[in-house]
């Protein structure tokens, strides 16, 4: 809620437009994106150890999508446009999360004496690297 002092002489359309511009709320994109990346990292990393975490992650992403869609469409008015500059950072971090998840899968298979499967899983961390460029 934004209040601006005004006198009777200053009640012009330009002042009201400037006051409304001052009240626009910029969305906290960094906080939203970091929370999404953290949940993606946890879900991908622990999916091979505890597969039910995928359901919790899917529920989180579904609810978060609804909340963020409504918030960014109807509540917040951005003052700037990054032109998609956040996408490259998000993509690199998501690929890193997939690589860490692949290493977790390899470690879980190796610790459970799955040596017959291990040679077939060794190229697994290399696949996300191919998509990182």
């Amino acid at each position: 809620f934004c209040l601006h002092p005004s006198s009777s002489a200053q009640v012009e359309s330009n002042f009201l437009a400037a006051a409304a511009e001052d009240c626009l709320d910029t969305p906290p994109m960094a906080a939203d994106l970091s929370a999404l990346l953290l949940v993606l990292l946890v879900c991908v990393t622990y999916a091979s150890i505890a597969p039910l975490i995928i359901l919790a992650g899917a529920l989180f992403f579904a609810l978060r999508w609804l909340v963020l869609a409504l918030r960014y469409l109807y509540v917040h008015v951005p003052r700037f446009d990054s032109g998609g500059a956040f996408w490259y950072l998000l993509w690199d971090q998501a690929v890193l999360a997939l690589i860490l998840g692949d290493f977790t899968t390899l470690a879980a298979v190796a610790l459970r004496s799955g040596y017959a499967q291990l040679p077939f899983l060794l190229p697994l961390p290399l696949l996300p690297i191919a998509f990182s460029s």
Side-chain angles (χ1 to χ4, degrees), residues 39-56:
V39 172
L40 178 70
L41 176 68
V42 169
C43 288
V44 169
T45 303
Y46 292 108
S48 61
I49 298 170
L52 288 178
I53 201 164
I54 296 173
L55 294 175

Side-chain angles (χ1 to χ4, degrees), residues 108-129:
V109 169
L111 288 175
R112 293 182 182 225
S113 300
Y115 301 118
Q117 295 90 0
L118 203 55
F120 297 106
L121 294 175
L122 284 177
L124 196 60
L126 301 176
L127 293 175
I129 294 172

Side-chain angles (χ1 to χ4, degrees), residues 37-99:
L37 283 174
L38 178 67
V39 172
L40 178 70
L41 176 68
V42 169
C43 288
V44 169
T45 303
Y46 292 108
S48 61
I49 298 170
L52 288 178
I53 201 164
I54 296 173
L55 294 175
L59 180 66
F60 172 80
F61 282 116
L63 291 176
R64 193 71 175 167
W65 176 71
L66 288 173
V67 169
L68 290 180
L70 291 174
R71 197 166 97 188
Y72 284 127
L73 286 175
Y74 299 114
V75 177
H76 293 294
V77 178
R79 290 185 178 207
F80 69 94
D81 184 15
S82 67
F86 284 131
W87 171 249
Y88 297 108
L89 175 67
L90 287 175
W91 179 255
D92 291 339
Q93 298 300 317
V95 168
L96 180 65
L98 287 173
I99 292 169

